[in-house]
């Protein structure tokens, strides 16, 4: 049987491991308490010291730090781009300049390190105001607001380095776009591209999109309101020009190009690229592609992705259970009840899978919270309604003090 190493420790990696395990033996580095309880081999050994037929790198940080390059230099088969292409996610300023060279439609923007010029540019924009930290900030470095005074304060706070340290001493200020968001996760083998089913992520912490931006509070797929024609247009106008620009720069991109899109009367514009699977989108896509995932990722890594991909049947919805205080100051150490010995639900519900992110387990077997996003409860079903019902039935069995959960994930979607 083939062996696969998944690098990372979040619910996204739990979902990848869960799907890959249908076709191969999976080792997770480092993994987390929930994955271990669920039967996965979790090791502290760095990936560069492990052997496997395929290495799948989950999070952006090791990609930006060059883990894929280091593994490829050892002759290993790797799913994930190198350090150079990871700048597409690692620096919003780099990404915006790249999009301009590639001719990809995106919001108008400018980049600043100096407060005076940043503030005068901001004053010349109209609401909503969008202020972004240049570097990695786990989805929390973006402010979108109608309040100019708040946007001005945010620019000053970010440029001071207080909010995100070195990652935040450059800001991107951009035109606010209205519309619907879509996450289009595209596999790219250096030349060929294949889109997975469009997914929708819910970024704000509160119901009805109120409150702070987070890493993502829930997701569903397929997002059927994004039509196959719209997907084709995005591939033609956004993804293929990106791949052409990567190749022009001599970059062989093998991994995920995750297009964060805004769909509006202007068509589709790219908000951002990520260079890895989405979190929590993977918690709905991995169950939909299940058995096919290992072969797809292996072919992508080998540069022989080819062909198109059948639309998966059914639907999936995931609901994130976050810690008290998330996203600003998540509290750790709250006891989680409702989970069985294997980290799944104490009471089994058909079509429900619990993916662990920030959990820890005591010697006595008690799970406690250990991060901002704690669990992602995914429901699958023949229809979106069924998947949604199951996800919330599952989530209702889990409790911990101060738990933060949206009640409107996939509500009204069809
Ligand atoms: P990003 O990390 O750049 O994708 O931004 C995080 C979130 O902020 C996005 O998912 C959107 O909800 C919102 N956002 C980012 N850029 C814009 C924009 N130009 N106009 C409106 N909303 C935006
Ligand atoms: N769901 C947003 C992200 O993965 O960045």
């Amino acid at each position: 049987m083939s062996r696969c190493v998944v690098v990372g420790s979040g619910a996204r990696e739990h979902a990848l491991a869960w799907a890959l395990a249908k076709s191969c033996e999976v080792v997770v580095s480092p993994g987390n308490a929930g994955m271990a309880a669920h039967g996965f081999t979790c090791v502290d050994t760095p990936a560069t010291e492990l052997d496997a037929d395929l290495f799948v790198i989950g999070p952006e940080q090791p990609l930006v730090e060059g883990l894929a390059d280091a593994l490829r230099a050892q002759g290993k088969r790797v799913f994930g781009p190198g350090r150079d292409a990871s700048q597409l996610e690692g620096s919003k300023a780099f990404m915006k300049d790249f999009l301009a060279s590639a001719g990809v439609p995106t919001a108008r923007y400018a980049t600043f390190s100096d407060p005076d010029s940043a503030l005068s540019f901001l004053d010349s924009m109209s609401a909503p105001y969008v202020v972004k930290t240049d570097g990695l900030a786990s989805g929390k470095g973006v402010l979108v607001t109608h309040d100019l005074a708040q946007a001005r304060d945010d620019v000053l706070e970010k440029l001071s380095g207080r909010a995100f340290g070195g990652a935040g001493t450059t800001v991107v200020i951009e035109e606010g776009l209205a519309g619907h968001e879509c996450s289009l996760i595209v596999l790219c083998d250096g030349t060929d591209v294949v889109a997975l089913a469009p997914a929708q992520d819910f970024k704000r912490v509160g119901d009805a999109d109120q409150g702070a931006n987070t890493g993502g509070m829930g997701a569903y797929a397929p997002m059927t309101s994004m039509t196959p024609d719209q997907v084709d247009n995005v591939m033609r106008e956004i993804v293929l020009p990106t791949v052409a620009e990567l190749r022009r720069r001599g970059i062989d991109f093998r991994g995920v190009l995750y297009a964060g899109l805004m769909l509006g009367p202007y068509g589709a514009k790219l908000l951002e690229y990520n260079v890895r699977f989405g979190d929590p989108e993977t918690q709905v896509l991995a169950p939909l592609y299940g058995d096919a995932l290992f072969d797809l990722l292996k072919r992508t890594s080998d540069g022989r992705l080819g062909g198109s991909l059948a639309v998966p049947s059914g639907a999936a919805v995931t609901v994130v259970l976050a810690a008290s205080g998330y996203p600003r100051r998540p509290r750790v150490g709250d006891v989680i009840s409702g989970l069985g010995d294997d980290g799944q639900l104490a009471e089994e519900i058909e079509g429900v899978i619990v993916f662990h992110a920030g959990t820890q387990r005591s010697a006595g077997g008690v799970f406690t919270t250990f991060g901002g996003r704690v669990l992602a409860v995914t429901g699958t079903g023949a229809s979106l309604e069924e998947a949604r019902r199951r996800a919330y039935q599952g989530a209702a069995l889990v409790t911990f003090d101060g738990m933060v959960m949206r009640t409107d994930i996939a509500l009204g979607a069809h």
Side-chain angles (χ1 to χ4, degrees), residues 12 201 203 215-216 258 272 274 276-281:
R12 165 185 49 212
D201 175 20
K203 295 254 166 58
Y258 158 159
E272 64 162 350
N274 294 317
R276 37 82 194 166
F277 279 104
D279 187 347
E281 291 90 333

